[in-house]
Amino acid sequence: MAVDRIEDGVVVSLNYVLTVDGEEIARTEEGEPMDYLHGAENIVPGLEAALTGKVLGDRVSVTLKPADAYGDYDDENVEELDREDVPNADELEAGMIIEVEDEEGFTYLATVREVSADTVILDYNPPLAGKTLTYDVEVTALREADEEELAHGHPHGMDDEDEDWDDEEDEE
Ligand code: ZN
């Protein structure tokens, strides 16, 4: 069945430019759109809402407050560690984004805020928390998701480049 508008269960291909505080911080490459599964929280909620009902070729420009994007910045999500407890402290610099594993084996992304002689400060807020985001989007393709994609909650690509969805999220 052909899909003619964006609704839950549709795999959407987009070109987009993301602008924060007047500065472009991300864009899709020419001919390499981003795919996502609509209704599966693959993208920030405000962008997903803005795209509902849109059709192939539509262009959408939307500005999202933090609550509709990556949430407010939370000062509580910042942790100061003793430098001696951070095995690779010598390799860290302020601004780096690193993967941190907790005692139960869950991994989190953290931004290194500060490395001093005695301490390392890690920030677990998403890098875009607290930011107002502007997305300029063009809808370049629509198709119905298959059963496996719906079960996984993300699209599967036609080539190896898209396998990272499964590397990160699935046990198969
Ligand atoms: Zn999958």
Side-chain angles (χ1 to χ4, degrees):
M1 196 174 66
V3 172
D4 59 7
R5 64 183 55 238
I6 297 177
E7 58 187 5
D8 289 357
V10 171
V11 175
V12 182
S13 300
L14 298 176
N15 288 325
Y16 74 89
V17 178
L18 171 58
T19 307
V20 177
D21 298 332
E23 190 182 339
E24 179 186 314
I25 63 162
R27 71 159 60 222
T28 48
E29 297 290 330
E30 191 69 39
E32 294 177 28
M34 179 196 78
D35 293 348
Y36 80 95
L37 174 60
H38 197 77
E41 299 181 0
N42 293 169
I43 60 175
V44 297
L47 182 57
E48 192 160 52
L51 286 164
T52 300
K54 294 292 184 283
V55 301
L56 187 62
D58 273 354
R59 290 172 182 270
V60 178
S61 181
V62 63
T63 296
L64 305 175
K65 296 203 171 352
D68 297 318
Y70 290 94
D72 288 323
Y73 186 86
D74 184 355
D75 291 327
E76 304 278 306
N77 279 339
V78 177
E79 183 178 33
E80 185 174 302
L81 300 162
D82 289 335
R83 186 181 172 122
E84 60 193 22
D85 294 335
V86 181
N88 58 344
D90 290 345
E91 298 160 22
L92 301 182
E93 288 174 38
M96 290 172 87
I97 294 178
I98 61 169
E99 202 166 79
V100 181
E101 189 172 324
D102 72 12
E103 286 152 6
E104 278 149 24
F106 291 105
T107 56
Y108 302 89
L109 289 181
T111 305
V112 179
R113 283 286 161 233
E114 193 184 303
V115 181
S116 72
D118 301 317
T119 62
V120 173
I121 298 177
L122 297 182
D123 184 344
Y124 298 99
N125 286 288
L128 294 173
K131 305 283 190 189
T132 296
L133 312 184
T134 298
Y135 284 96
D136 292 293
V137 173
E138 179 187 10
V139 180
T140 64
L142 299 176
R143 66 174 172 83
E144 208 171 357
D146 66 28
E147 279 181 30
E148 192 179 49
E149 289 173 320
L150 290 172
H152 287 192
H154 54 229
H156 290 159
M158 302 301 279
D159 56 40
D160 292 344
E161 283 177 43
D162 291 309
E163 279 185 358
D164 54 342
W165 285 104
D166 282 319
D167 289 346
E168 287 181 21
E169 296 176 28
D170 298 332
E171 304 265 324
E172 286 178 321

